[in-house]
Amino acid sequence: MIILVIAAAIVAAATAYAIWAGSKEHRIETTAHLDARANEVWGVLTDFPAYGEWNPFITAVSGLLAEDERLDVVLTQGSGKQMAFRPRVLRVSPARQIRWLGKLGPGGLLDGEHYFVLEPQQDGSTVLTHGERFTGILVPLLGATFADTERGFTAMNEALEARLKTVLG
């Protein structure tokens, strides 16, 4: 009888945590002001074979950049640790945005919607919003990982700016 009470308490606590944590989300959003037109930024962002040459964070991408397709993506954290995953492309709007959804484990454990949004400016420059919205029951446990990921986004944005200068001369 005591074992059943303990088991019921554990199940109730786990259920309460899953409900609480499932309602949490964490968003990382970075912005870069790039001295290039949106179509030029788009050209570098979608040149996946060249990522290994310039991108310190997303070091490899392959696959068809089209809605509902899967990409093969390799991230390299600041620690050097690599993570490979296969996100599903949610949206592709040329010279405007790319969105994909990656999942760690089954849906609801940890999902991340990664996005690049390009906003052309009147002076010919582009504002890039580079971010990710994380949801799932692991979100409350990943504070240090999120901080490292944000540093990776910033490093990628800076490398993108340098790449544009190299490509555009």
Side-chain angles (χ1 to χ4, degrees):
M1 180 67 162
I2 291 178
I3 292 175
L4 288 176
V5 170
I6 292 171
I10 291 170
V11 168
T15 301
Y17 173 79
I19 291 168
W20 172 77
S23 68
K24 302 294 180 194
E25 78 171 42
H26 183 82
R27 186 178 300 264
I28 297 171
E29 196 164 272
T30 61
T31 303
H33 298 271
L34 304 169
D35 190 20
R37 299 195 176 284
N39 64 326
E40 295 167 331
V41 176
W42 181 262
V44 172
L45 275 178
T46 58
D47 184 9
F48 295 152
Y51 269 36
E53 297 172 19
W54 66 270
N55 196 330
F57 181 62
I58 301 176
T59 52
V61 178
S62 61
L64 180 62
L65 183 61
E67 292 176 13
D68 292 322
E69 292 291 331
R70 294 259 181 205
L71 298 174
D72 291 298
V73 176
V74 177
L75 300 180
T76 302
Q77 297 284 16
S79 65
K81 180 181 174 186
Q82 291 191 327
M83 181 176 80
F85 64 104
R86 298 196 73 227
R88 182 174 55 86
V89 178
L90 300 175
R91 176 155 311 203
V92 179
S93 301
R96 293 291 184 195
Q97 72 173 311
I98 300 170
R99 290 179 181 271
W100 67 57
L101 179 65
K103 295 179 180 241
L104 178 63
L109 190 58
L110 182 65
D111 298 341
E113 181 181 341
H114 197 103
Y115 53 91
F116 302 96
V117 178
L118 306 177
E119 297 175 61
Q121 304 298 296
Q122 288 190 347
D123 66 359
S125 66
T126 302
V127 173
L128 167 69
T129 302
H130 176 192
E132 190 153 356
R133 185 177 70 87
F134 296 94
T135 58
I137 62 173
L138 292 180
V139 166
L141 306 175
L142 296 174
T145 299
F146 291 145
D148 195 31
T149 300
E150 185 167 1
R151 285 188 293 274
F153 285 15
T154 300
M156 179 178 170
N157 296 350
E158 291 168 355
L160 174 61
E161 185 173 19
R163 179 68 172 192
L164 284 163
K165 288 177 183 173
T166 300
V167 169
L168 302 176

